[in-house]
Amino acid sequence: MFKRFPVLFAGLKGIVEESLTGVHRLYQLARSGKLCVPAINVNDSVVKSKFDNHYCCRESILDSIKRATDIMFGGKHVCVCGYGEVGKGCAAALKGLGAVVCVTEIDPICALQASFDGFRVVRLEEAVRAIDILITCTGNKNVVNREHMDHLKNGCIVCNMGHSNTEIDVESLRNSDVRWEHVRSQVDHIIWPDGKRIVLLAEGRLVNLCCSSVPSFVVSITSTTQSLALIELFRAPPGRYKHDVYLLPKKMDEYVASLHLSTFDAHLTELSDEQAQYVGLPKNGPFKPHYYRYENNHPVNSALLPRKNVVLFLSL
């Protein structure tokens, strides 16, 4: 829309973006001065990154691969590319079913987390010949290239759990030296001249959306977060937000979480006046500073998420 319909784009009241790749694009536009409307980054809200990325993907990766291939995970050697929230969920789920999991990572903090969680951190080139399943979870491009796939062993399953469909270089497989065999919906065998074949799921697109679905409870959490952000942008008086990218406040994350606690019959403990004064917190929150990321959450990239742009609205 920004490239093809710039006039319409400039007429928007604002943008709410929940994908990692989309958020990166918005920050790029903001840094270059081309972002002509305010935007709210929902991707880095706690409830989105935790429940959509971590907990949802922890279940949907198993469901997706099972539905597509009917394999067993016990004893399988798996490489998970990326140990952000999606990668953490996928690795934990596969390990829980007896798979032998290794991780690739560019961030030393995430790599150290993976090591403490019991996963061997490797370069893909080191592991590619021995793995049975290869999963990308980075949001980047060409994470798995043709050279990697040339060295995969026969029968290896290749799929993508990251946001972008560019993580696996599928285009490099669309030439005459390999043959495609469509097995069933979302499942293709890529066959090399020597007879080796790999199993490509969803042609490199998001496997949990193509071969499975997102649970309605997770959709409720993310949709609530986006809806509240959209309402704020629509109702905001002129001048409240500049043409920049903003984060949701911690209070809003806590509010969305509180709306969903009744599903589990969960009851919050309330601070007494004395306790609230002792720790220096409001009795009704927010209970954490905006930069607090909760256990195992991916570290904030300060180059992408400037702290000065924290939204301070409380339109609840």
Side-chain angles (χ1 to χ4, degrees):
M1 185 176 183
F2 171 76
K3 293 180 178 179
R4 297 182 60 187
F5 306 103
V7 176
L8 291 176
F9 186 85
L12 297 176
K13 284 184 173 290
I15 299 171
V16 173
E17 179 57 53
E18 74 151 356
S19 70
L20 175 64
T21 307
V23 165
H24 283 184
R25 296 293 176 267
L26 288 174
Y27 279 114
Q28 289 172 355
L29 290 173
R31 285 196 295 268
S32 63
K34 296 179 180 179
L35 185 62
C36 50
V37 293
I40 293 181
N41 168 9
V42 174
N43 181 70
D44 287 288
S45 67
V46 175
V47 287
K48 196 278 178 185
S49 62
K50 269 296 180 188
F51 296 95
D52 189 6
N53 293 1
H54 184 90
Y55 294 114
C56 177
C57 292
R58 189 174 67 180
E59 298 190 21
S60 63
I61 182 61
L62 303 178
D63 187 40
S64 303
I65 297 178
K66 277 281 191 183
R67 286 173 184 263
T69 66
D70 299 317
I71 68 162
M72 295 184 69
F73 293 105
K76 294 292 191 300
H77 287 257
V78 183
C79 184
V80 176
C81 298
Y83 202 66
E85 287 304 309
V86 174
K88 287 180 174 70
C90 292
L94 292 159
K95 181 181 180 181
L97 287 184
V100 181
V101 182
C102 63
V103 169
T104 71
E105 184 52 68
I106 63 170
D107 187 324
I109 297 176
C110 292
L112 189 59
Q113 284 182 308
S115 298
F116 267 82
D117 289 338
F119 301 110
R120 185 167 168 241
V121 181
V122 301
R123 292 184 176 180
L124 185 53
E125 293 78 10
E126 300 169 7
V128 72
R129 297 177 185 273
I131 55 179
D132 301 294
I133 305 173
L134 176 56
I135 304 168
T136 56
C137 309
T138 71
N140 210 325
K141 66 179 296 186
N142 294 340
V143 177
V144 177
N145 58 37
R146 176 60 189 271
E147 184 177 357
H148 294 138
M149 291 184 279
D150 284 340
H151 290 118
L152 290 171
K153 69 180 187 180
N154 183 52
C156 182
I157 297 169
V158 181
C159 62
N160 171 39
M161 282 288 288
H163 174 73
S164 174
N165 63 353
T166 60
E167 298 204 32
I168 302 168
D169 186 11
V170 176
E171 289 305 311
S172 68
L173 299 174
R174 300 188 187 280
N175 53 51
S176 58
D177 67 329
V178 295
R179 180 166 57 88
W180 286 61
E181 182 181 280
H182 186 65
V183 179
R184 56 178 168 176
S185 176
Q186 310 298 343
V187 181
D188 292 283
H189 286 183
I190 315 301
I191 306 171
W192 269 251
D194 63 358
K196 183 195 86 169
R197 65 180 64 203
I198 65 172
V199 183
L200 179 65
L201 303 186
E203 296 186 24
R205 299 184 298 275
L206 277 170
V207 70
N208 62 329
L209 297 185
C210 296
C211 302
S212 180
S213 61
V214 178
S216 59
F217 186 75
V218 172
V219 173
S220 175
I221 291 174
T222 56
S223 297
T224 302
T225 308
Q226 293 177 64
S227 298
L228 291 172
L230 285 168
I231 291 170
E232 169 59 22
L233 286 175
F234 185 79
R235 290 181 174 178
R240 174 180 287 182
Y241 300 111
K242 299 178 181 179
H243 297 169
D244 211 338
V245 184
Y246 295 84
L247 295 173
L248 285 172
K250 191 67 64 177
K251 181 67 175 177
M252 186 65 71
D253 270 320
E254 292 176 355
Y255 177 64
V256 173
S258 68
L259 293 176
H260 292 82
L261 287 177
S262 60
T263 303
F264 304 98
D265 193 26
H267 306 277
L268 290 173
T269 300
E270 295 183 6
L271 290 173
S272 67
D273 292 336
E274 182 182 7
Q275 290 172 325
Q277 184 178 6
Y278 181 76
V279 294
L281 291 175
K283 289 186 66 175
N284 297 318
F287 300 101
K288 300 290 189 297
H290 68 84
Y291 53 82
Y292 185 84
R293 302 304 297 168
Y294 297 83
E295 181 183 0
N296 283 337
N297 216 40
H298 59 279
V300 178
N301 184 338
S302 58
L304 293 177
L305 309 178
R307 290 184 181 179
K308 64 182 179 66
N309 285 343
V310 176
V311 185
L312 298 178
F313 66 82
L314 294 175
S315 309
L316 305 182

